Amino acid sequence: MLTISRPPRLTVAVVAAVGAICVSLPPAAATTAAAARPAAVGATTPFRIYEAEAGTPAEGAAVRSLTSAPTTQYSSAALEASGHSYVHLDGTGQSVQWTNTTGRPISFLNVRASIPDSATGGGVTGTLNLYVDGVFRQALHLNSKQSWVYEGNGNYNTSDNQNPADGDPRVFWDESHTFVAGSPIPAGATFSLRKDADNSASFYDVDSLDVENPPAPRAQPANSISITSCGAVADNTPTNGAADSRSVDSRAAIQTCIDQAQSQGKTLWIPQGTFYVKGTEGLSAHGITIAGAGL
């Protein structure tokens, strides 16, 4: 599936929630505790970042911060968190809340969070509940399948060891993005993430939220080739970080369209949807424009 995760590890995938190849910018190092601020100094972006530690923890939720310089070369959740702080939820009813101060509705969320690894490695899935003005809105799908790699036992600074027995974990954070169900979160409204009884992970660490109100999907431009015309098939069912077993592997179809776009001098178009590229074989494109339904 097309996804982009933030440093320290970057993985490229092919599809975006609104049908474009997209990149989530890494969070700027936090030097102030503003509730919402521009995503990066000097950059104009369509989204705003809310740091978890600048929100309001409730019912025993705790802010955890890096309070001193590391004494070893190994990582920690606080060291990898933007601003070196995050909110820890480990009890039913615990939450962190913010107020929409963007001056506009919020219809899309990107949550940077961490949930535990499985006992044998490879990650788990879980949900975390979103509330708007104190009313349940939807369950957000999270997973740890792309995080929790281990540096102990001679694996320092490797990128693929997912054996918890080796110890010294790193890459705690991953991102999950979704459209807000129902009406957008109005300007001035409160919104919160809460661990309820149906949220099965033993803990949820929340680092930050990117929020925005993206425009409607764009129409396919002239002189372009859509990947669906070559056989790519969208599957938009949330799967918590794993491809739907019934989904179509669209790699060959997308590559066919890339080749056609290159030979015909056309734009490659990615419509709205989630398209899966399964396996380890990648895509190759040179000298063409790639456009999509989203930013």
Side-chain angles (χ1 to χ4, degrees):
M1 183 175 68
L2 299 179
T3 57
I4 299 288
S5 65
R6 301 188 185 201
R9 183 189 57 180
L10 182 66
T11 56
V12 180
V14 181
V15 70
V18 291
I21 293 177
C22 74
V23 176
S24 293
L25 297 175
T31 56
T32 62
R37 68 184 195 281
V41 175
T44 299
T45 66
F47 62 91
R48 299 286 293 274
I49 297 177
Y50 283 79
E51 294 288 349
E53 66 272 17
T56 304
E59 301 299 325
V63 174
R64 294 188 173 178
S65 303
L66 188 70
T67 57
S68 60
T71 57
T72 74
Q73 73 268 41
Y74 297 111
S75 192
S76 68
L79 186 63
E80 293 181 10
S82 61
H84 299 314
S85 294
Y86 61 93
V87 170
H88 180 76
L89 314 175
D90 64 6
T92 299
Q94 293 184 354
S95 66
V96 55
Q97 178 177 285
W98 305 265
T99 299
N100 179 5
T101 58
T102 64
R104 56 187 184 271
I106 295 171
S107 60
F108 189 81
L109 302 174
N110 186 71
V111 182
R112 190 171 196 248
S114 176
I115 62 175
D117 195 3
S118 67
T120 56
V124 299
T125 62
T127 59
L128 185 60
N129 289 340
L130 171 68
Y131 285 76
V132 177
D133 283 335
V135 178
F136 172 78
R137 178 64 66 89
Q138 72 194 91
L140 306 182
H141 295 271
L142 308 178
N143 75 86
S144 56
K145 293 177 178 290
Q146 311 301 323
S147 52
W148 293 91
V149 296
Y150 298 88
E151 300 192 290
N153 197 25
N155 296 300
Y156 179 66
N157 209 30
T158 62
S159 61
D160 59 357
N161 177 31
Q162 291 188 301
N163 181 15
D166 287 336
D168 297 315
R170 68 177 180 92
V171 190
F172 298 91
W173 305 99
D174 203 356
E175 298 181 11
S176 176
H177 50 265
T178 185
F179 285 99
V180 175
S183 59
I185 301 170
T190 63
F191 57 101
S192 59
L193 299 179
R194 190 168 87 181
K195 174 176 164 51
D196 290 325
D198 60 337
N199 302 135
S200 59
S202 59
F203 69 80
Y204 295 81
D205 291 336
V206 181
D207 183 20
S208 61
L209 277 78
D210 302 342
V211 304
E212 64 177 304
N213 189 35
R218 296 169 177 162
Q220 182 177 348
N223 198 38
S224 66
I225 300 175
S226 172
I227 62 173
T228 56
S229 71
C230 298
V233 179
D235 183 346
N236 303 320
T237 304
T239 56
N240 277 6
D244 185 338
S245 61
R246 299 165 295 178
S247 66
V248 173
D249 181 358
S250 292
R251 194 212 67 81
I254 295 172
Q255 187 64 61
T256 295
C257 265
I258 289 173
D259 296 341
Q260 291 181 10
Q262 289 178 169
S263 65
Q264 299 174 29
K266 293 185 176 181
T267 294
L268 180 73
W269 174 252
I270 303 177
Q272 182 177 2
T274 299
F275 300 86
Y276 285 93
V277 177
K278 301 180 182 180
T280 59
E281 187 176 1
L283 299 168
S284 178
H286 304 280
I288 64 171
T289 296
I290 300 175
L295 295 175

